[in-house]
Amino acid sequence: MIAEVGGIQGLSTVVRVNMLGDFRITIGDYVIDDRISRSHKMWVLLAYLIIHRQRHISQEELIEVLWPEEDNDNPANALKTLLYRTRATISSVIGEGPQLILSQRGSYSWNLRLECSIDAEAFDQLVTKAADRNLDAGERREYYKEASVLYQHDFLPKLSDQMWIAPFATYYHYLFLDSVFAYGELLQEAEDYAGLVDLCNQAVKIEPFEEKLYIMLIKAFLSMGNTTAAVNTYEKATEILYKNLGVRPSEGLRELYQEIMKENKMLEMDLTVIQQDLREAVARSGPFCCEYGFFREAYRLEARRAARHGTSVQIALITLSLPDGKSPTLNLLNKTMDQVLSVLENTLRRGDVVARYSGAQYVLMLPTASYEDATMILDRIVSTFDQKNRKSFLILNYKIQQLDLDKMRTND
């Protein structure tokens, strides 16, 4: 195709459109992006025309898209003004040449005589090819690799306030996740664990709340023998889930933590090194704060010891809530839960164990404490919290239950 754009004559010129991330139009050496115009409606107009470039868009439809709930005395004139400014802005970058936006009998369209390449559509095509199981695994991995390079950000995030954008953004987002899981399986089969780590790290930047991505990443680290990275990833995942969704990790992720702990039992022949490590652990003041998966292991050990020696162990659950019993908003919850943890660290004894159980809860294990002792400790925690948060309307509640030693003896 011969096109004349911005003084480029006699060359086949492709209009390249980036919609995965920042909206950008590239024609030859010329780039049109939001550095040349901050007009939000101009970018909405361009996006709508490009996405629906196979048809003519009526004036009424564009007005509804651009001013859906706005009072406008003369919307038709406002649309003409916006179109004029949009064309002028484009011309200021590429110079004289064929118009990108055409008008015809009260309707508007993108100029289809200019070849248009859109990264989101190219991504879709690559994933479709990669999903073909008739291809060999190597070809499929190459297609997925090309697709993953294209998808560095979600679809038009700066236009996410537009209702008509939502179906497209949702479609591409979940297509990306599906492609990551399928590509991840192929990398796992090929034992390309370094490639799998890179893929997962890219994916969690785009979708940080998908637990399956962390599971896949942790398994990749374990396959590489990098248990330190696996533990760090698990802790990062649990923190993100607590602080952003207010939920604790699934059973699958917690079981994976147990696998990490088994893998992490490395041989150490120097007893001096072991004793030094143990002394440092004992020297720490206050309770032992840990992740819930480790809390479960500590509980099992303490329960067996209590059953053998007949000592008492109290388990307590602390819950932060609004006066009506509902959970606070996540922003308020995260800030206040950190304050609750500070109170626990300064109130509980060495030997007590603390773990975050959910977004609004901590679970405690109080060895060698009677029910009365545990009640006094928890009352002191609540009182200290109330004193430090006098202006807060949040309430700290607790429940205490003694370990059932008879059941433990039966199980043993």
Side-chain angles (χ1 to χ4, degrees), residues 8-36:
I8 303 175
Q9 299 184 27
L11 297 176
S12 178
T13 304
V14 178
V15 179
R16 302 190 181 280
V17 182
N18 185 87
M19 289 187 167
L20 296 175
D22 292 335
F23 191 7
R24 184 172 62 254
I25 301 172
T26 305
I27 306 172
D29 295 330
Y30 301 93
V31 177
I32 304 166
D33 57 22
D34 59 11
R35 290 176 297 180
I36 65 168

Side-chain angles (χ1 to χ4, degrees), residues 297-311 313 403 405 408-409 411-412:
E297 292 300 305
Y299 173 86
R300 288 177 57 204
L301 292 173
E302 191 61 45
R304 289 179 179 179
R305 183 168 62 183
R308 189 177 303 115
H309 298 291
T311 57
V313 177
L403 185 67
L405 298 182
M408 286 300 304
R409 294 189 184 99
N411 291 338
D412 285 345

Side-chain angles (χ1 to χ4, degrees), residues 2 37 43 55 70 115 137 141 208 211 217 246 256-257 285 297 301 313 321 330-332 344 365:
I2 304 300
S37 175
W43 292 105
R55 64 186 180 89
E70 298 178 27
E115 183 180 351
R141 287 198 301 272
E211 192 179 79
L217 180 56
L256 191 55
Y257 181 83
S285 61
E297 292 300 305
L301 292 173
V313 177
S321 67
L330 285 175
N331 287 338
L332 181 58
L344 295 176
M365 182 165 59

Side-chain angles (χ1 to χ4, degrees), residues 62 68 89 103 118-119 153 160 196 202 217 226 263 273 318 325 335 353 368-369 385 395 400:
L62 283 177
T89 299
S103 57
I118 302 175
D119 61 348
H153 301 281
S160 59
L196 184 55
Q202 174 198 340
L217 180 56
N226 192 344
E263 291 290 332
V273 174
I318 293 180
K335 179 181 177 181
V353 186
T368 68
F385 172 80
I395 297 174
I400 303 173

